[in-house]
Amino acid sequence: MYSEAFRSLDVATLCVVAVTAILIGFVNFVFFRNRSLDGPLFAVSPQSDSGFRSVSEILRYTYPKFQNRIYRLRQHYGDIVVIPPKFVDALQAAPENLLSFQFLARERFFARYTYLVSMVDHPDNNTVIKSIKNNLNKSLGDVLPALDDEIEHAISTHVGDADEWKAIFPAHSLLPVIASGSGRIFVGEELNRNPEFLDCILNFTIDSMMGGEKLRQYPSFLRTLAQWWIPELQRSRTKLRKMMHLLGPIIESRKGNDHVSDMLTWNMANSPRSLEHNLKYQAHNQLISSAAAIHTTNMQLSHALFDLAAYPEYLEPLREEAKTVFQAEPNGVWTKNGMAKLRKLDSFMKESQRMNPLGLLTFERRVMNDLTLPDGVVIPKGYNIGCPTSSIAKDDTLWEKPFEFDGFRFERLRQQPGHENKHQFVTTGIDSLYFGHGKHACPGRFLADAEIKLILMNLIVNYDVKLPDGTSRPENVEMNSGVMADPTKTILLKRRSKA
Ligand code: HEM
């Protein structure tokens, strides 16, 4: 039918239609997609001698100058409109049709091809977030003993004996420990101890992220095709199939039987009804949870371990605190109340995060409709915004001696009347954007907090920790706006004799 209609049109008419279509596309692109925005543009240009070589260099330069106005920062993922921190409170509860975290994440990580963000574009599609907020976070106290048990098992498997000083790479050696802890919460003990499951939750993220970076090199119209020949993306598809295979029998056995407390059960209960038993959807939920949970937590833990080894004077007070608080635990297992008393450890972790935030920029969102900032400036639809987290962390109007590592800084701040519950590792605010802030603030930070504390305590109580002789705290490795603990550097551990 369509070909007959086309045959009846003459060539001249077709040309007019084609030119008009191209013009509409052009007008759309120029006037709607990238409507201009006042404000200077700073770009990373590593090749130029006079330019900025990194995002952090730009932020160091711009932060003092742009306390009250926006600017654009051009980096690997495209342009970000950097907003002053003072606007964050006004924007933190903005609805999804104005500022979208999901949209930005889907686009940045090519979610259609990498499966890194939820595949189902459905208003009810926040299954994983619901499970974390409504189930996991409320039952964290109940799952602590299992988490502790899994972490102890994983540390003895992956760190093992160290009767003499033993070198470990924080960024690698503890990754399976974090993965095992998270996996225990995701699917329970049996499947979590299956090496194929561990392989899926650990390596899906790496394959998908690396595959996404390869995909970025292709023009957008070729990506649908290119996904099929990029080996990393083939591997992430295989992992999705493997996860389906592993979960199949468990989902079958849980139909109508929801007494097991883990993410799988919660995800099934929180799914749109039509997807409750959909194997692909549930397998994918496991993979996106692990993508959000494992490498982030591992990286923050790695930073803390480098700090622990670099500042060994903190070991003894932290050891003392862990022992004293644990001795007061009623049944010899960690409780939520007990964990909340670890104020020195909490402070040490927060200081390590302040010195080494995983993201130079966070609170990143896509502007879905023209956004009017509190100062009246309008950011047109289609731009991305973000906040300079790492600069806020070193702002000397907020923090005393901000470039010095002061492990008990936040413990002291919490001693001020009225501040007892502030300044915690999990606290977010405009002076603490490491987990974002507001509506999309990381819901998994309470699990990350518990995992890092349990692992650090295990290591602090059972091992001595130091840097290799003659070395100092390794410099961080910056990749675009991410801050990694150097994966090529080690710390040394030695098992302490049992007192
Ligand atoms: C130290 C470890 C972690 C760090 C530094 C971290 C950081 C972040 C950040 C910066 C965001 C964006 C928040 C915003 O822009 O307002 C985020 C979102 C998120 N995180 Fe985490 N995260 C960590 C661990 C985890 C864990 C363990 C889980 C899962 C159990 C998790 C699940 C999520 C999810 C589901 C979101 C999306 C929230 C939404 O769309 O509303 N994260 N995280």
Side-chain angles (χ1 to χ4, degrees):
M1 193 174 90
Y2 292 112
S3 54
E4 272 170 36
F6 269 109
R7 266 199 296 276
S8 67
L9 292 173
D10 59 30
V11 175
T13 315
L14 277 176
C15 284
V16 171
V17 171
V19 169
T20 312
I22 290 168
L23 271 178
I24 290 172
F26 179 73
V27 168
N28 247 328
F29 180 76
V30 172
F31 293 101
F32 294 98
R33 189 183 143 70
N34 255 341
R35 287 223 320 274
S36 70
L37 180 66
D38 285 339
L41 170 71
F42 296 89
V44 178
S45 51
Q47 282 83 20
S48 130
D49 285 346
S50 55
F52 294 102
R53 274 162 301 162
S54 64
V55 173
S56 59
E57 244 183 60
I58 297 184
L59 292 177
R60 270 195 296 278
Y61 176 80
T62 49
Y63 185 70
K65 298 181 174 56
F66 290 85
Q67 286 290 317
N68 295 311
R69 59 199 175 107
I70 57 171
Y71 64 92
R72 278 176 300 148
L73 191 159
R74 180 155 297 161
Q75 43 124 27
H76 181 69
Y77 299 119
D79 285 5
I80 293 268
V81 178
V82 180
I83 56 165
K86 64 177 192 177
F87 292 158
V88 168
D89 265 341
L91 304 179
Q92 48 106 356
E96 201 64 14
N97 64 4
L98 186 57
L99 285 180
S100 174
F101 175 75
Q102 283 275 328
F103 189 100
L104 177 96
R106 276 194 210 155
E107 190 182 75
R108 176 171 292 175
F109 298 122
F110 305 115
R112 273 175 68 195
Y113 314 114
T114 61
Y115 304 112
L116 272 170
V117 184
S118 183
M119 315 182 248
V120 184
D121 201 0
H122 184 285
D124 269 348
N125 178 36
N126 44 10
T127 302
V128 167
I129 296 173
K130 276 190 204 154
S131 299
I132 299 175
K133 284 187 177 167
N134 302 342
N135 303 102
L136 172 61
N137 290 347
K138 289 186 181 148
S139 25
L140 209 50
D142 302 332
V143 301
L144 274 178
L147 187 60
D148 194 25
D149 172 61
E150 195 64 47
I151 282 173
E152 208 178 314
H153 175 265
I155 289 182
S156 70
T157 312
H158 299 283
V159 177
D161 292 337
D163 295 332
E164 296 304 323
W165 285 110
K166 173 178 180 177
I168 64 154
F169 293 89
H172 300 298
S173 314
L174 293 161
L175 194 52
V177 177
I178 292 281
S180 304
S182 311
R184 175 82 173 250
I185 306 296
F186 291 171
V187 291
E189 183 173 354
E190 198 183 330
L191 181 54
N192 186 43
R193 299 261 172 112
N194 179 335
E196 288 186 312
F197 176 79
L198 198 62
D199 174 54
C200 280
I201 60 171
L202 264 178
N203 294 317
F204 165 81
T205 316
I206 298 175
D207 287 333
S208 291
M209 295 289 271
M210 290 177 63
E213 282 313 303
K214 287 198 174 164
L215 210 52
R216 197 180 302 284
Q217 293 157 15
Y218 288 88
S220 51
F221 68 92
L222 268 184
R223 287 181 189 141
T224 315
L225 269 182
Q227 63 168 317
W228 300 110
W229 63 72
I230 293 178
E232 287 83 355
L233 294 182
Q234 289 164 2
R235 289 204 291 271
S236 41
R237 282 191 294 273
T238 307
K239 290 197 172 61
L240 178 58
R241 282 195 297 275
K242 171 61 76 183
M243 184 59 89
M244 289 166 68
H245 173 74
L246 294 170
L247 286 186
I250 301 179
I251 290 184
E252 266 316 299
S253 72
R254 289 200 188 172
K255 280 184 182 165
N257 168 13
D258 60 0
H259 68 274
V260 188
S261 285
D262 61 22
M263 281 286 280
L264 178 60
T265 304
W266 299 324
N267 285 341
M268 285 161 69
N270 290 321
S271 297
R273 201 162 261 287
S274 62
L275 295 169
E276 187 182 345
H277 297 125
N278 182 308
L279 194 47
K280 188 171 182 189
Y281 184 68
Q282 298 307 345
H284 185 243
N285 280 337
Q286 289 293 326
L287 294 175
I288 51 173
S289 309
S290 47
I294 295 173
H295 295 272
T296 45
T297 310
N298 178 58
M299 204 39 79
Q300 207 70 72
L301 171 69
S302 308
H303 283 302
L305 280 171
F306 277 139
D307 289 330
L308 200 56
Y311 307 104
E313 63 272 25
Y314 289 99
L315 272 169
E316 208 40 53
L318 292 173
R319 211 168 260 153
E320 226 17 73
E321 179 185 70
K323 283 186 184 165
T324 315
V325 175
F326 191 67
Q327 271 160 15
E329 286 288 51
N331 299 314
V333 288
W334 281 109
T335 62
K336 220 172 150 178
N337 272 346
M339 297 281 282
K341 291 183 188 144
L342 297 164
R343 287 180 167 221
K344 287 193 187 325
L345 182 59
D346 192 89
S347 171
F348 184 89
M349 284 160 50
K350 192 160 185 87
E351 177 71 348
S352 176
Q353 191 179 44
R354 185 186 71 78
M355 295 294 282
N356 315 283
L358 299 193
L360 298 172
L361 294 159
T362 59
F363 196 76
E364 291 186 74
R365 309 278 185 266
R366 164 59 61 90
V367 177
M368 305 299 287
N369 276 300
D370 290 2
L371 170 75
T372 307
L373 294 174
D375 62 358
V377 168
V378 176
I379 304 183
K381 169 184 173 173
Y383 279 93
N384 295 328
I385 61 162
C387 223
T389 302
S390 59
S391 308
I392 300 167
K394 306 276 168 55
D395 182 333
D396 62 6
T397 65
L398 296 171
W399 316 111
E400 210 176 288
K401 299 189 184 155
F403 292 93
E404 274 178 30
F405 186 93
D406 176 358
F408 298 148
R409 172 192 301 273
F410 292 102
E411 190 207 15
R412 287 197 308 279
L413 287 173
R414 286 178 72 185
Q415 283 162 3
Q416 297 168 18
H419 286 237
E420 294 80 357
N421 295 321
K422 297 184 178 165
H423 311 293
Q424 298 184 46
F425 182 69
V426 292
T427 309
T428 69
I430 60 170
D431 60 353
S432 179
L433 289 171
Y434 319 106
F435 291 110
H437 185 48
K439 214 170 142 200
H440 293 288
C442 173
R445 63 193 190 277
F446 303 94
L447 175 63
D449 175 65
E451 286 180 331
I452 297 176
K453 281 188 177 139
L454 290 172
I455 294 174
L456 283 177
M457 274 193 295
N458 187 308
L459 295 177
I460 289 168
V461 170
N462 296 314
Y463 297 83
D464 280 320
V465 184
K466 66 173 187 178
L467 288 175
D469 291 344
T471 65
S472 51
R473 198 224 188 261
E475 291 288 316
N476 291 329
V477 179
E478 285 179 19
M479 276 184 72
N480 312 313
S481 55
V483 182
M484 293 199 311
D486 189 334
T488 65
K489 297 288 190 311
T490 57
I491 58 166
L492 301 176
L493 296 180
K494 185 172 160 195
R495 189 169 265 286
R496 287 158 53 79
S497 48
K498 290 210 166 79

Short mmCIF file of all heavy atoms in Angstrom, two decimals, residues 101-102 128-129 132-133 136 186 289 292-294 296-297 300 353 358 362-365 425 433-445 447-448 451-452, ligand 1:
data_model
loop_
_atom_site.label_atom_id
_atom_site.label_comp_id
_atom_site.label_asym_id
_atom_site.label_seq_id
_atom_site.Cartn_x
_atom_site.Cartn_y
_atom_site.Cartn_z
N PHE A 101 17.07 11.61 36.94
CA PHE A 101 18.32 10.88 37.17
C PHE A 101 18.36 9.66 36.24
O PHE A 101 19.37 9.37 35.60
CB PHE A 101 18.36 10.44 38.64
CG PHE A 101 19.53 9.58 38.98
CD1 PHE A 101 20.79 10.12 39.12
CD2 PHE A 101 19.38 8.20 39.16
CE1 PHE A 101 21.88 9.32 39.43
CE2 PHE A 101 20.46 7.40 39.47
CZ PHE A 101 21.72 7.97 39.61
N GLN A 102 17.21 8.97 36.14
CA GLN A 102 17.11 7.75 35.32
C GLN A 102 17.43 8.02 33.85
O GLN A 102 18.16 7.28 33.21
CB GLN A 102 15.69 7.19 35.41
CG GLN A 102 15.38 6.46 36.67
CD GLN A 102 15.81 5.00 36.61
OE1 GLN A 102 15.79 4.40 35.54
NE2 GLN A 102 16.22 4.46 37.73
N VAL A 128 13.73 -2.21 41.98
CA VAL A 128 14.92 -2.38 42.82
C VAL A 128 14.95 -1.27 43.89
O VAL A 128 15.26 -1.53 45.06
CB VAL A 128 16.19 -2.35 41.94
CG1 VAL A 128 17.44 -2.19 42.78
CG2 VAL A 128 16.27 -3.62 41.10
N ILE A 129 14.62 -0.06 43.47
CA ILE A 129 14.67 1.05 44.43
C ILE A 129 13.65 0.83 45.56
O ILE A 129 13.93 1.03 46.73
CB ILE A 129 14.44 2.40 43.71
CG1 ILE A 129 15.61 2.63 42.75
CG2 ILE A 129 14.34 3.55 44.70
CD1 ILE A 129 15.46 3.82 41.85
N ILE A 132 15.01 -1.78 47.91
CA ILE A 132 16.07 -1.29 48.81
C ILE A 132 15.45 -0.39 49.89
O ILE A 132 15.71 -0.57 51.08
CB ILE A 132 17.15 -0.50 48.02
CG1 ILE A 132 17.82 -1.40 46.97
CG2 ILE A 132 18.20 0.06 48.96
CD1 ILE A 132 18.81 -0.69 46.06
N LYS A 133 14.59 0.54 49.44
CA LYS A 133 14.07 1.51 50.42
C LYS A 133 13.08 0.88 51.39
O LYS A 133 13.13 1.11 52.58
CB LYS A 133 13.36 2.66 49.68
CG LYS A 133 14.33 3.64 49.05
CD LYS A 133 13.57 4.83 48.49
CE LYS A 133 14.51 5.86 47.91
NZ LYS A 133 13.86 6.86 47.10
N LEU A 136 14.91 -3.72 52.21
CA LEU A 136 16.28 -3.91 52.71
C LEU A 136 16.61 -2.94 53.85
O LEU A 136 17.06 -3.36 54.92
CB LEU A 136 17.28 -3.72 51.54
CG LEU A 136 18.75 -3.71 51.95
CD1 LEU A 136 19.15 -5.01 52.60
CD2 LEU A 136 19.65 -3.43 50.75
N PHE A 186 21.31 -10.42 48.35
CA PHE A 186 20.51 -10.45 47.12
C PHE A 186 19.76 -11.77 46.96
O PHE A 186 18.60 -11.79 46.59
CB PHE A 186 21.40 -10.24 45.89
CG PHE A 186 21.99 -8.85 45.76
CD1 PHE A 186 22.95 -8.58 44.80
CD2 PHE A 186 21.57 -7.82 46.59
CE1 PHE A 186 23.49 -7.30 44.69
CE2 PHE A 186 22.10 -6.55 46.48
CZ PHE A 186 23.07 -6.29 45.53
N SER A 289 21.22 -4.35 40.38
CA SER A 289 21.52 -4.09 41.81
C SER A 289 23.01 -4.25 42.05
O SER A 289 23.64 -3.44 42.74
CB SER A 289 20.81 -5.08 42.74
OG SER A 289 19.46 -5.15 42.43
N ALA A 292 25.00 -1.33 40.75
CA ALA A 292 24.95 -0.13 41.60
C ALA A 292 25.75 -0.35 42.89
O ALA A 292 26.33 0.59 43.43
CB ALA A 292 23.50 0.21 41.96
N ALA A 293 25.79 -1.62 43.36
CA ALA A 293 26.25 -1.85 44.73
C ALA A 293 27.73 -2.19 44.88
O ALA A 293 28.38 -1.72 45.81
CB ALA A 293 25.42 -2.97 45.35
N ILE A 294 28.26 -3.03 43.99
CA ILE A 294 29.51 -3.71 44.34
C ILE A 294 30.76 -2.86 44.10
O ILE A 294 31.57 -2.65 44.98
CB ILE A 294 29.59 -5.06 43.60
CG1 ILE A 294 28.45 -5.95 44.13
CG2 ILE A 294 30.94 -5.73 43.82
CD1 ILE A 294 28.28 -7.25 43.41
N THR A 296 31.10 0.32 43.51
CA THR A 296 31.09 1.58 44.26
C THR A 296 31.57 1.33 45.70
O THR A 296 32.50 1.99 46.18
CB THR A 296 29.65 2.14 44.33
OG1 THR A 296 28.76 1.07 44.65
CG2 THR A 296 29.24 2.80 43.04
N THR A 297 30.96 0.35 46.35
CA THR A 297 31.31 0.08 47.74
C THR A 297 32.76 -0.38 47.85
O THR A 297 33.51 0.03 48.74
CB THR A 297 30.37 -1.00 48.33
OG1 THR A 297 29.02 -0.61 48.05
CG2 THR A 297 30.53 -1.14 49.82
N GLN A 300 35.07 2.65 47.62
CA GLN A 300 35.11 3.47 48.83
C GLN A 300 35.89 2.74 49.93
O GLN A 300 36.67 3.35 50.65
CB GLN A 300 33.67 3.76 49.30
CG GLN A 300 33.55 5.05 50.08
CD GLN A 300 33.75 6.30 49.22
OE1 GLN A 300 32.91 6.64 48.43
NE2 GLN A 300 34.88 6.98 49.40
N GLN A 353 36.04 9.37 52.77
CA GLN A 353 35.17 9.70 51.63
C GLN A 353 35.30 11.19 51.26
O GLN A 353 35.31 11.56 50.10
CB GLN A 353 33.73 9.37 51.97
CG GLN A 353 32.79 9.41 50.78
CD GLN A 353 31.38 9.04 51.18
OE1 GLN A 353 30.87 9.50 52.20
NE2 GLN A 353 30.73 8.21 50.37
N LEU A 358 34.06 9.38 45.36
CA LEU A 358 34.14 8.57 44.13
C LEU A 358 33.80 9.38 42.89
O LEU A 358 34.20 9.06 41.79
CB LEU A 358 33.18 7.37 44.20
CG LEU A 358 33.41 6.36 45.32
CD1 LEU A 358 32.59 5.11 45.06
CD2 LEU A 358 34.87 6.02 45.46
N THR A 362 28.50 15.07 41.44
CA THR A 362 27.34 14.19 41.66
C THR A 362 26.09 15.05 41.54
O THR A 362 26.16 16.16 41.03
CB THR A 362 27.38 13.48 43.04
OG1 THR A 362 27.40 14.47 44.05
CG2 THR A 362 28.58 12.56 43.19
N PHE A 363 24.97 14.54 42.00
CA PHE A 363 23.67 15.21 41.83
C PHE A 363 23.49 15.54 40.34
O PHE A 363 23.11 16.64 39.96
CB PHE A 363 23.60 16.49 42.69
CG PHE A 363 22.19 17.00 42.86
CD1 PHE A 363 21.32 16.38 43.74
CD2 PHE A 363 21.72 18.08 42.13
CE1 PHE A 363 20.01 16.83 43.89
CE2 PHE A 363 20.42 18.53 42.27
CZ PHE A 363 19.57 17.91 43.16
N GLU A 364 23.79 14.55 39.52
CA GLU A 364 23.67 14.78 38.07
C GLU A 364 22.25 14.42 37.63
O GLU A 364 21.69 13.41 38.05
CB GLU A 364 24.69 13.93 37.34
CG GLU A 364 26.10 14.43 37.58
CD GLU A 364 27.12 13.69 36.74
OE1 GLU A 364 27.18 13.95 35.53
OE2 GLU A 364 27.83 12.84 37.30
N ARG A 365 21.69 15.26 36.81
CA ARG A 365 20.31 15.06 36.35
C ARG A 365 20.19 15.57 34.92
O ARG A 365 20.90 16.49 34.52
CB ARG A 365 19.31 15.89 37.20
CG ARG A 365 19.40 15.74 38.70
CD ARG A 365 18.68 14.49 39.20
NE ARG A 365 18.66 14.41 40.65
CZ ARG A 365 19.55 13.76 41.38
NH1 ARG A 365 20.54 13.12 40.82
NH2 ARG A 365 19.43 13.73 42.70
N PHE A 425 28.36 8.89 58.06
CA PHE A 425 28.76 8.42 56.73
C PHE A 425 27.58 8.44 55.76
O PHE A 425 27.72 8.80 54.60
CB PHE A 425 29.33 6.99 56.86
CG PHE A 425 29.83 6.41 55.57
CD1 PHE A 425 30.95 6.92 54.95
CD2 PHE A 425 29.17 5.34 54.97
CE1 PHE A 425 31.42 6.38 53.75
CE2 PHE A 425 29.63 4.80 53.78
CZ PHE A 425 30.75 5.32 53.17
N LEU A 433 27.73 15.56 49.39
CA LEU A 433 26.98 15.07 48.22
C LEU A 433 27.54 13.76 47.67
O LEU A 433 27.27 13.40 46.52
CB LEU A 433 27.01 16.14 47.11
CG LEU A 433 26.18 17.40 47.37
CD1 LEU A 433 26.47 18.45 46.30
CD2 LEU A 433 24.68 17.07 47.36
N TYR A 434 28.32 13.07 48.48
CA TYR A 434 28.99 11.86 47.97
C TYR A 434 27.99 10.79 47.54
O TYR A 434 28.28 9.97 46.67
CB TYR A 434 29.93 11.29 49.04
CG TYR A 434 30.69 12.36 49.76
CD1 TYR A 434 30.37 12.72 51.07
CD2 TYR A 434 31.69 13.06 49.10
CE1 TYR A 434 31.04 13.73 51.71
CE2 TYR A 434 32.37 14.08 49.73
CZ TYR A 434 32.03 14.43 51.03
OH TYR A 434 32.68 15.45 51.67
N PHE A 435 26.84 10.75 48.18
CA PHE A 435 25.78 9.80 47.79
C PHE A 435 24.65 10.54 47.09
O PHE A 435 23.51 10.07 47.07
CB PHE A 435 25.21 9.10 49.03
CG PHE A 435 26.15 8.14 49.70
CD1 PHE A 435 26.70 8.42 50.94
CD2 PHE A 435 26.50 6.94 49.09
CE1 PHE A 435 27.56 7.54 51.58
CE2 PHE A 435 27.36 6.03 49.72
CZ PHE A 435 27.90 6.34 50.96
N GLY A 436 24.94 11.71 46.49
CA GLY A 436 23.88 12.53 45.92
C GLY A 436 23.07 13.14 47.06
O GLY A 436 23.51 13.16 48.22
N HIS A 437 21.86 13.60 46.73
CA HIS A 437 21.04 14.21 47.77
C HIS A 437 19.60 14.26 47.30
O HIS A 437 19.33 14.37 46.10
CB HIS A 437 21.55 15.63 48.06
CG HIS A 437 20.86 16.31 49.20
ND1 HIS A 437 20.64 15.70 50.41
CD2 HIS A 437 20.32 17.56 49.32
CE1 HIS A 437 20.02 16.53 51.22
NE2 HIS A 437 19.80 17.67 50.59
N GLY A 438 18.69 14.19 48.25
CA GLY A 438 17.27 14.37 47.91
C GLY A 438 16.64 13.10 47.41
O GLY A 438 17.00 11.98 47.79
N LYS A 439 15.69 13.31 46.48
CA LYS A 439 14.84 12.23 45.99
C LYS A 439 15.62 11.00 45.48
O LYS A 439 15.20 9.88 45.68
CB LYS A 439 14.06 12.81 44.80
CG LYS A 439 12.70 12.28 44.66
CD LYS A 439 11.98 13.11 43.63
CE LYS A 439 11.14 12.18 42.84
NZ LYS A 439 10.72 12.65 41.58
N HIS A 440 16.75 11.24 44.84
CA HIS A 440 17.51 10.12 44.28
C HIS A 440 18.77 9.81 45.06
O HIS A 440 19.63 9.07 44.57
CB HIS A 440 17.85 10.39 42.81
CG HIS A 440 16.64 10.41 41.95
ND1 HIS A 440 15.95 9.27 41.62
CD2 HIS A 440 15.97 11.43 41.39
CE1 HIS A 440 14.90 9.59 40.89
NE2 HIS A 440 14.90 10.91 40.73
N ALA A 441 18.89 10.36 46.26
CA ALA A 441 20.09 10.05 47.05
C ALA A 441 20.22 8.54 47.13
O ALA A 441 19.22 7.82 47.24
CB ALA A 441 19.94 10.64 48.45
N CYS A 442 21.44 8.06 47.08
CA CYS A 442 21.69 6.62 47.00
C CYS A 442 20.92 5.86 48.09
O CYS A 442 21.20 6.01 49.28
CB CYS A 442 23.17 6.36 47.16
SG CYS A 442 23.55 4.61 47.26
N PRO A 443 19.97 5.01 47.70
CA PRO A 443 19.22 4.27 48.73
C PRO A 443 20.05 3.14 49.32
O PRO A 443 19.74 2.64 50.40
CB PRO A 443 18.02 3.72 47.95
CG PRO A 443 18.50 3.60 46.53
CD PRO A 443 19.50 4.70 46.34
N GLY A 444 21.13 2.73 48.59
CA GLY A 444 21.92 1.59 49.05
C GLY A 444 23.03 1.98 50.01
O GLY A 444 23.82 1.14 50.43
N ARG A 445 23.08 3.26 50.41
CA ARG A 445 24.22 3.70 51.24
C ARG A 445 24.21 3.05 52.62
O ARG A 445 25.25 2.92 53.25
CB ARG A 445 24.27 5.23 51.32
CG ARG A 445 23.08 5.89 52.00
CD ARG A 445 23.12 7.39 51.70
NE ARG A 445 22.17 8.17 52.50
CZ ARG A 445 20.89 8.33 52.20
NH1 ARG A 445 20.37 7.73 51.13
NH2 ARG A 445 20.09 9.08 52.97
N LEU A 447 23.39 -0.08 53.25
CA LEU A 447 24.05 -1.39 53.09
C LEU A 447 25.55 -1.18 52.91
O LEU A 447 26.37 -1.90 53.51
CB LEU A 447 23.46 -2.13 51.87
CG LEU A 447 24.15 -3.45 51.52
CD1 LEU A 447 24.01 -4.46 52.66
CD2 LEU A 447 23.59 -4.07 50.24
N ALA A 448 25.94 -0.21 52.07
CA ALA A 448 27.36 0.06 51.87
C ALA A 448 28.04 0.37 53.20
O ALA A 448 29.12 -0.13 53.50
CB ALA A 448 27.53 1.23 50.90
N GLU A 451 28.43 -2.85 55.20
CA GLU A 451 29.46 -3.74 54.63
C GLU A 451 30.86 -3.21 54.92
O GLU A 451 31.75 -3.96 55.34
CB GLU A 451 29.27 -3.85 53.12
CG GLU A 451 28.08 -4.72 52.75
CD GLU A 451 27.87 -4.85 51.24
OE1 GLU A 451 28.23 -3.91 50.50
OE2 GLU A 451 27.35 -5.87 50.80
N ILE A 452 31.05 -1.91 54.67
CA ILE A 452 32.40 -1.35 54.87
C ILE A 452 32.78 -1.45 56.35
O ILE A 452 33.90 -1.82 56.69
CB ILE A 452 32.47 0.12 54.36
CG1 ILE A 452 32.21 0.15 52.85
CG2 ILE A 452 33.82 0.74 54.68
CD1 ILE A 452 32.17 1.55 52.25
C1 HEM B 1 29.98 3.60 48.81
C2 HEM B 1 29.12 3.06 47.96
C3 HEM B 1 28.17 3.84 47.10
C4 HEM B 1 28.28 5.11 46.59
C5 HEM B 1 29.44 6.10 46.75
C6 HEM B 1 27.06 5.37 45.84
C7 HEM B 1 26.78 6.56 45.20
C8 HEM B 1 25.59 6.84 44.57
C9 HEM B 1 25.26 8.12 43.96
C10 HEM B 1 26.19 9.34 43.90
C11 HEM B 1 24.01 8.02 43.45
C12 HEM B 1 23.24 9.14 42.71
C13 HEM B 1 22.44 9.93 43.74
C14 HEM B 1 21.98 11.30 43.30
O1 HEM B 1 22.36 11.73 42.23
O2 HEM B 1 21.23 11.99 44.06
C15 HEM B 1 23.53 6.68 43.71
C16 HEM B 1 22.32 6.19 43.31
C17 HEM B 1 21.92 4.89 43.52
N1 HEM B 1 22.57 3.91 44.25
FE1 HEM B 1 24.36 4.11 45.17
N2 HEM B 1 26.25 4.27 45.92
C18 HEM B 1 26.88 3.31 46.69
C19 HEM B 1 26.40 2.07 47.03
C20 HEM B 1 25.19 1.55 46.63
C21 HEM B 1 24.66 0.25 47.02
C22 HEM B 1 25.34 -0.73 47.99
C23 HEM B 1 23.47 0.09 46.37
C24 HEM B 1 22.50 -1.06 46.39
C25 HEM B 1 22.27 -1.82 47.42
C26 HEM B 1 23.23 1.32 45.61
C27 HEM B 1 22.09 1.57 44.84
C28 HEM B 1 21.82 2.78 44.22
C29 HEM B 1 20.62 3.00 43.43
C30 HEM B 1 19.51 1.98 43.15
C31 HEM B 1 20.67 4.33 43.00
C32 HEM B 1 19.65 5.07 42.12
C33 HEM B 1 18.68 5.83 43.01
C34 HEM B 1 17.55 6.49 42.24
O3 HEM B 1 17.49 6.39 41.02
O4 HEM B 1 16.69 7.12 42.90
N3 HEM B 1 24.29 2.17 45.79
N4 HEM B 1 24.52 5.99 44.41
#
